[in-house]
């Protein structure tokens, strides 16, 4: 039987390890501080931000939530970020994406001070990742590596295939796997015979944003399957196809009007993988946990505790 990689359990372990570090910082005069900038009223983003603020409260991290209007300009948002850069009580700055169309996202992310870039998106920190130098790592990729380590899943010498080449997940997780001595292939929409390439993977990371695209044809028996996707299926026939007419799943669909699925067909992963991440409850909880790790590490660096 395959083993489920429980992101909630690993998240709780990480948070328990962070609490004494936060207490040590508080004993030096102040707790770590995280500023979250949420522009407008994107419902999904609002949920993510609430979860991040709750994690801060659980750990004793000071959090500042800034909610400028949807109409904000690039220059106005740049001014806000610059104010946060110089605030001594703020160790980490997170600008929740996506931003409104009129805002130049690249300019905003570049404006965040690299030492406060707890998302790991600034080119300075991306460069540190490429060179295997210390610095904040993108949270979801870092969470994936943490999950593999804490379940004692070997990475060195393994063939890893990453499906998706985004700056947020695909590219950084490929680099992190490479630093752990995996042989890494990055796949994308132009990759010929994608299922065949994926079937070579000992560790398969799906980060493409397409509901249940990765089926049994993509999975080598015994592979470790990491599903980064978060997709809502709102068509009942589609849900029935994915879950093979499961009465329990269809009852859940009828109650909610949708089902949350990843990029990997969950039944195929359960049948073929040696380890796999569920959706929800797999990679997702680790993203926020690693954001907390980056914030605490930034505070330690800025106060001289590390």
């Amino acid at each position: 039987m395959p083993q489920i990689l429980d992101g909630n359990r690993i998240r709780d372990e990480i948070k328990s390890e962070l609490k004494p570090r936060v207490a040590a910082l508080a004993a030096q005069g102040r707790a770590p501080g995280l500023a979250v900038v949420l522009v407008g009223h994107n419902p999904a983003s609002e949920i993510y931000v609430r979860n991040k603020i709750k994690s801060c409260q659980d750990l004793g991290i000071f959090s500042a939530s800034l909610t400028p209007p949807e109409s904000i300009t690039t220059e106005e948002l740049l001014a806000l970020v610059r104010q946060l850069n110089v605030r001594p009580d703020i160790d980490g700055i997170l600008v929740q994406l996506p931003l409104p169309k009129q805002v130049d996202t690249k300019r905003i992310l570049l404006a965040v001070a690299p030492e406060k870039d707890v998302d790991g998106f600034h080119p300075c920190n991306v460069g540190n990742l490429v060179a295997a130098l210390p610095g904040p790592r993108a949270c979801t990729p870092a969470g994936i590596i943490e999950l593999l380590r804490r379940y004692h899943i070997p990475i060195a010498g393994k063939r890893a295939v990453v499906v998706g080449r985004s700056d947020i997940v695909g590219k950084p997780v490929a680099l992190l796997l490479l630093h752990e001595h995996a042989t890494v292939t990055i796949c994308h929409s132009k990759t010929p015979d994608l299922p065949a390439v994926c079937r070579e993977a000992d560790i398969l990371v799906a980060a493409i944003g397409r509901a249940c695209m990765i089926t049994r044809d993509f999975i080598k028996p015994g592979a470790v399957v990491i599903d980064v996707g978060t997709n809502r299926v709102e068509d009942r026939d589609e849900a029935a196809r994915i879950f093979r007419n499961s009465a329990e799943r269809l009852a859940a669909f009828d109650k909610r009007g949708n089902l949350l699925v990843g990029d990997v067909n969950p039944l195929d992963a359960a049948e073929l993988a040696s380890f796999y991440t569920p959706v929800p409850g797999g990679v997702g909880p680790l993203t926020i946990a690693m954001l907390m790790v980056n914030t605490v590490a930034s505070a330690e660096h800025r106060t001289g505790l590390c």
Side-chain angles (χ1 to χ4, degrees), residues 283-302:
V283 173
L286 274 300
T287 299
I288 294 179
M290 299 314 294
L291 173 65
M292 299 297 109
V293 169
N294 286 348
T295 300
V296 172
S298 175
E300 290 171 337
H301 181 75
R302 296 180 71 240

